[in-house]
Amino acid sequence: MTAEKIKEIVSQMTLEEKASMCSGADFWHTEAVERLGIPASMVSDGPHGLRKQDQEGDHLGVNDSIRAVCFPAGCGTAASFNRELIQQMGETLGEECQAEGVSVILGPAVNIKRSPLCGRNFEYYSEDPLVASEMAGALIHGVQSKNVGTSIKHFLGNNQETRRMTSDSRIGERSLHEIYLAAFEGAVKKEKPWTVMCSYNKINGTYAAENHKYLTEVLRDEWGFEGYVMSDWGAVNSRVKDLQAGLDLEMPSSNGFNDKLIVGAVQSGELPEKVLDAAVGRILNIVFRYEENRDKNAVFDRDKDHEMARKVAQETIVLLKNEGVLPLSEQDEIAFIGKYAKTPRYQGGGSSHINSHKVTSALDAVEGMSNVTYAQGFDDKEDKTDEKLLAEAVEAAKKAKVAVIFAGLPDAFESEGFDRAHMRMPDCQNELISSVAAVQPNTVVVLHNGSPVEMPWVNEVKGIVEAYLGGQAVGGAVCDILFGRVNPSAKLPESFPLKLEDNPSYLFYIGERDKVEYREGIFVGYRYYDKKKMDVLFPFGHGLSYTTFGYSNLTTDKDHMKDTDVMTVSVDVTNTGHMAGKEIVQLYVADKESTVIRPVRELKGFEKVELAPGETKTVTFNLDKRAFAYYSVKLQDWHVETGAFDIMIGRSSRDLVLTKEVTVESTVKIPFVYTTDTTMGDVLRDPRAREIVAGLLKLDIFGGEQGKAESDVANEAISEGMSEAMAGFTPLRGAVSFGGGMNMADIQEIVDQLNALEDI
Ligand code: BGC
């Protein structure tokens, strides 16, 4: 529908009708205005399946929803690093929505994994904003190609579940731009989600729902977002203020209460009617975009989509460790041990909970293979070792050639609505793994969890497979990997620290009551572990394959560029092993020298390539200013410091195989203002300033060019280097206290002369 037509409809609406459009008719529908042909529009949860509730609505996954297909959760889909695949998953979800009359699926969820404890990490993508934003973009692209909208969420700073409706995320401006906003930015700019969902929490003192800065200035004015912003369910607390800030649709319904506030505010002149008209226009635009593109032929083919879920799951499973034990032979005597072999944990709790139409377990997937035995090993209702189950498992392991333990986190350990209390697996499962490994040298652990766990048994087992929360087809996909029918190709989109205390947010997570300070700043995940040179259990970007890959020929189309240019980087990747496989090529950029505190290196590109044995492919990346920049709070913009950068290609963040140095020149100067506090070291960086401060340079406190020799001899404890260094840090005003006869007015005169220099 054209913008004019929408305007015309809005102009025909009464004030009351317009106000009512701005909140849900019920839990999942927008209002209809029949006399004007405005239909109600349904939204439903995702993001990794369709959670459409026909009956009573709730937003915590308590009540039932229609039978649907559960795809791997965000933790896994991010690990695929495969944009095309996640786009296909999006297309499937879009088709399902078309078939079910759902106009917007509520996802993807891109909040940064600040701490392994966040109860909702399983739904989120990564600790790295590029990965989060790119993978979200792929899903959005797929869904929206079917003329169904998405709602990228939860905007902004919602990185924990504890007190999520009232907590105040206090995040520095630079970290917001480099980490937390960046997770949304790329996807919003490139893929134009139809809607954005704002989060419950406050950001630096202002609720996300009433945050004009982020909902309007950043989202709309800077990023060009044109859709509507909806609230998270119940995130509105000041309706009129929210509308003015840029929050269009309140969800769910406030039973008319807030509509009345809007009407009153317009009538009293507190709220300009054009603000309301704009919000209604944005909502109608999406309502009609969906309505006019309904696909009457769409079908929700659950069995077909189950196969798609399996295909996605195959690429979300990360092979963390393999000391020659995998792949398994289909002929060997194998003991499948652990409850999750029979009833896998494949999704998390809360609003993303899918009512799966069927679930394939690993045991289902080996049905008919008489060489595979099963022992339950543990129960996950409570963390208590069941001696009988343990003994049976050890017995089964002893008899077999290989033991595969299906372990992980029980439902009660991670869910929307609360955070994890620790990073450990249940003790009873750890005990089981150690007991089995003690009798069976060929032990493999398959993990079902949405967030990192500590692995006290890491050195006791030969293989570790991270299946994440792999969706309803996870059992088939895990067996495809175990038996080598599919070559593992996923990598970790997050670091696995050795222990929780190593995590950079540890000291401040989950805050003091509602005050949550993000004191680690930009040093989230590998940005911290690398800077601190800390050992981790498994690094960001890590993941093994049954084949090997070689890298060569790292080239750039230029060695030097201005920050307004784009640099093309290419590298050859060869499958040097004997099995076809896929490799995720990672490109990191390191600023070699900077006056700004920066991470050692940051991921600035990734590509997944499929290679037959012996095959070589060239992978290319385009790097623009953003790849080299940090966010300058002073400039309120991204900035590159002129200088050398390393471009590094890696198999993971800790396995960097090729490096090339390039230089980037800034076209933007950060203006420098001299004051009486400016140090002599900073002054002398500009050769033109030397003449102006020549008089001061003669003074002892600034290195005393004349008296230097004598004073150095006189005080052997202070070497020439030391006195120069000290002088460098002395402010110009030091000449008043120690300079003999100068006063502040003299210093100010020098400062004025310095500031009069051109182009400083
Ligand atoms: C969640 C959202 C979800 C909404 C609707 C909220 O509690 O935070 O992610 O989309 O409920 O179920």
Side-chain angles (χ1 to χ4, degrees):
M1 189 171 284
T2 61
E4 283 73 44
K5 186 81 186 99
I6 300 266
K7 259 199 179 141
E8 200 187 310
I9 298 177
V10 176
S11 73
Q12 290 167 20
M13 294 171 80
T14 64
L15 180 56
E16 287 71 19
E17 282 169 344
K18 287 191 285 193
S20 76
M21 265 323 288
C22 292
S23 65
D26 58 25
F27 227 84
W28 303 116
H29 293 89
T30 59
E31 281 285 358
V33 182
E34 274 170 32
R35 68 175 191 96
L36 294 172
I38 302 172
S41 200
M42 182 169 206
V43 302
S44 274
D45 264 311
H48 47 260
L50 188 56
R51 181 171 170 265
K52 180 186 168 189
Q53 287 188 319
D54 277 338
Q55 308 297 323
E56 210 181 327
D58 75 278
H59 65 124
L60 286 171
V62 180
N63 296 328
D64 250 1
S65 48
I66 61 159
R67 292 247 166 205
V69 175
C70 180
F71 291 85
C75 50
T77 50
S80 78
F81 284 82
N82 188 337
R83 297 179 184 85
E84 291 77 36
L85 181 71
I86 302 312
Q87 186 179 318
Q88 284 171 29
M89 171 176 150
E91 287 163 13
T92 309
L93 289 170
E95 174 112 17
E96 293 178 359
C97 288
Q98 279 287 1
E100 288 293 331
V102 170
S103 70
V104 173
I105 183 163
L106 304 174
V110 296
N111 299 83
I112 289 289
K113 300 185 192 212
R114 180 177 172 233
S115 161
L117 297 184
C118 174
R120 232 173 154 178
N121 273 357
F122 71 88
E123 255 184 272
Y124 300 153
Y125 289 120
S126 181
E127 67 188 24
D128 180 88
L130 181 78
V131 178
S133 177
E134 287 289 300
M135 300 316 291
L139 192 86
I140 293 169
H141 194 98
V143 173
Q144 295 191 172
S145 71
K146 300 289 175 182
N147 292 310
V148 168
T150 53
S151 195
I152 191 168
K153 64 189 187 183
H154 309 84
F155 191 65
L156 173 72
N158 175 195
N159 308 92
Q160 67 185 48
E161 290 300 282
T162 306
R163 306 174 82 95
R164 66 173 171 161
M165 297 188 83
T166 50
S167 65
D168 179 13
S169 303
R170 301 191 181 179
I171 315 177
E173 209 176 335
R174 185 175 161 208
S175 321
L176 264 170
H177 281 87
E178 290 190 22
I179 308 287
Y180 298 97
L181 282 165
F184 291 86
E185 183 180 359
V188 169
K189 283 182 173 167
K190 265 198 270 171
E191 302 299 343
K192 306 198 175 311
W194 289 11
T195 80
V196 168
M197 187 191 292
C198 80
S199 56
Y200 289 120
N201 54 286
K202 293 177 184 162
I203 305 135
N204 295 324
T206 307
Y207 275 111
E210 59 193 46
N211 212 311
H212 190 267
K213 179 163 181 188
Y214 298 112
L215 296 188
T216 296
E217 290 158 49
V218 172
L219 192 60
R220 292 201 165 98
D221 302 348
E222 261 184 54
W223 298 352
F225 172 68
E226 288 173 348
Y228 69 77
V229 176
M230 72 173 90
S231 71
D232 199 343
W233 267 232
V236 163
N237 74 325
S238 177
R239 188 60 187 107
V240 174
K241 212 169 166 190
D242 296 359
L243 202 56
Q244 272 164 323
L247 179 103
D248 305 307
L249 177 66
E250 170 185 11
M251 285 305 280
S253 145
S254 66
N255 296 318
F257 180 78
N258 281 337
D259 304 355
K260 286 201 191 91
L261 292 184
I262 294 175
V263 170
V266 172
Q267 282 166 345
S268 73
E270 183 198 346
L271 178 72
E273 194 159 359
K274 65 175 197 307
V275 173
L276 175 63
D277 289 356
V280 173
R282 287 191 287 254
I283 297 169
L284 291 186
N285 190 30
I286 298 301
V287 168
F288 284 112
R289 190 184 301 180
Y290 171 70
E291 229 20 74
E292 289 174 352
N293 292 288
R294 287 294 295 267
D295 179 357
K296 302 273 177 316
N297 300 320
V299 279
F300 187 172
D301 182 340
R302 289 162 176 77
D303 287 330
K304 185 165 141 253
D305 296 355
H306 180 86
E307 285 316 307
M308 183 65 198
R310 178 175 183 159
K311 187 174 153 192
V312 176
Q314 287 166 345
E315 290 210 30
T316 62
I317 297 170
V318 190
L319 180 58
L320 292 177
K321 175 174 179 176
N322 185 17
E323 286 175 352
V325 66
L326 293 172
L328 305 176
S329 152
E330 308 219 3
Q331 271 69 50
D332 281 342
E333 294 301 315
I334 302 166
F336 274 10
I337 292 170
K339 186 171 181 182
Y340 299 148
K342 195 167 184 183
T343 47
R345 176 143 184 279
Y346 64 94
Q347 66 172 329
S351 61
S352 67
H353 199 270
I354 303 300
N355 187 2
S356 296
H357 93 295
K358 72 173 172 197
V359 179
T360 310
S361 70
L363 268 189
D364 295 333
V366 294
E367 208 187 309
M369 286 175 69
S370 54
N371 52 323
V372 181
T373 59
Y374 170 66
Q376 184 183 321
F378 66 88
D379 199 1
D380 63 351
K381 296 278 170 283
E382 57 176 334
D383 184 4
K384 204 167 141 224
T385 295
D386 180 322
E387 297 300 341
K388 188 165 160 280
L389 292 182
L390 179 65
E392 277 168 18
V394 169
E395 223 23 61
K398 264 191 208 156
K399 285 198 195 123
K401 190 166 169 215
V402 186
V404 184
I405 306 174
F406 294 77
L409 295 177
D411 275 323
F413 273 50
E414 52 180 353
S415 165
E416 178 178 340
F418 58 89
D419 290 312
R420 290 164 73 191
H422 54 74
M423 212 181 97
R424 299 188 301 276
M425 285 170 50
D427 290 340
C428 67
Q429 292 192 39
N430 285 334
E431 188 186 350
L432 171 75
I433 295 169
S434 290
S435 308
V436 167
V439 299
Q440 175 50 266
N442 295 318
T443 295
V444 175
V445 176
V446 176
L447 290 170
H448 296 75
N449 50 314
S451 197
V453 289
E454 290 165 18
M455 301 183 200
W457 35 259
V458 65
N459 296 320
E460 298 164 26
V461 300
K462 277 198 181 150
I464 305 174
V465 175
E466 176 54 79
Y468 276 120
L469 298 184
Q472 65 180 51
V474 66
V478 164
C479 288
D480 291 338
I481 298 285
L482 289 176
F483 292 108
R485 296 191 286 259
V486 169
N487 197 345
S489 66
K491 301 212 186 204
L492 292 179
E494 62 192 324
S495 312
F496 274 45
L498 284 164
K499 55 184 190 307
L500 177 65
E501 292 77 3
D502 292 348
N503 178 262
S505 74
Y506 175 73
L507 293 176
F508 324 111
Y509 201 88
I510 46 178
E512 294 165 336
R513 291 189 158 259
D514 283 338
K515 186 172 82 179
V516 185
E517 298 188 56
Y518 287 45
R519 291 204 209 170
E520 68 284 5
I522 54 169
F523 293 102
V524 177
Y526 70 89
R527 285 169 169 77
Y528 175 80
Y529 302 120
D530 288 352
K531 192 85 175 179
K532 294 272 288 185
K533 296 197 167 94
M534 280 169 80
D535 284 340
V536 290
L537 186 56
F538 295 107
F540 174 85
H542 168 77
L544 305 171
S545 165
Y546 295 148
T547 188
T548 48
F549 298 98
Y551 287 83
S552 58
N553 245 345
L554 171 59
T555 54
T556 51
D557 66 339
K558 40 181 106 56
D559 292 340
H560 174 83
M561 76 167 201
K562 290 215 164 93
D563 63 5
T564 41
D565 289 346
V566 173
M567 182 176 284
T568 302
V569 180
S570 54
V571 64
D572 291 345
V573 196
T574 305
N575 184 340
T576 47
H578 301 289
M579 188 175 177
K582 294 181 183 174
E583 170 71 326
I584 298 158
V585 184
Q586 300 162 45
L587 184 152
Y588 295 84
V589 172
D591 192 348
K592 296 191 82 167
E593 205 187 318
S594 173
T595 61
V596 173
I597 296 166
R598 296 194 67 177
V600 179
R601 67 186 79 86
E602 294 175 278
L603 185 77
K604 294 296 169 183
F606 62 85
E607 287 299 330
K608 192 165 192 175
V609 273
E610 183 164 19
L611 295 162
E615 191 183 6
T616 299
K617 276 185 186 160
T618 303
V619 177
T620 55
F621 301 91
N622 289 324
L623 302 181
D624 61 9
K625 174 176 176 176
R626 267 300 269 278
F628 302 95
Y630 70 94
Y631 185 81
S632 161
V633 174
K634 193 164 181 186
L635 288 179
Q636 291 283 295
D637 199 359
W638 295 86
H639 185 251
V640 178
E641 260 191 0
T642 297
F645 293 80
D646 271 340
I647 291 177
M648 311 173 110
I649 298 291
R651 294 188 180 95
S652 83
S653 60
R654 291 273 170 106
D655 185 3
L656 300 156
V657 276
L658 297 170
T659 299
K660 181 162 194 263
E661 186 181 298
V662 297
T663 54
V664 183
E665 190 187 324
S666 177
T667 55
V668 180
K669 256 196 141 188
I670 299 192
F672 189 85
V673 179
Y674 291 95
T675 67
T676 52
D677 267 353
T678 305
T679 62
M680 189 55 94
D682 285 342
V683 172
L684 292 180
R685 277 212 211 113
D686 185 340
R688 297 171 302 172
R690 180 168 282 271
E691 252 175 61
I692 299 173
V693 295
L696 298 184
L697 285 174
K698 295 192 183 113
L699 304 174
D700 260 2
I701 52 156
F702 293 122
E705 278 172 353
Q706 282 168 0
K708 191 186 284 171
E710 287 156 44
S711 62
D712 283 354
V713 173
N715 185 356
E716 281 173 9
I718 299 183
S719 70
E720 196 172 326
M722 284 162 75
S723 71
E724 259 176 41
M726 289 177 196
F729 295 133
T730 309
L732 292 172
R733 67 173 154 73
V736 176
S737 313
F738 313 110
M742 284 210 148
N743 63 31
M744 248 343 196
D746 301 329
I747 306 293
Q748 190 56 51
E749 207 173 295
I750 291 172
V751 167
D752 292 343
Q753 284 179 43
L754 288 167
N755 280 326
L757 284 170
E758 260 176 44
D759 195 24
I760 47 175

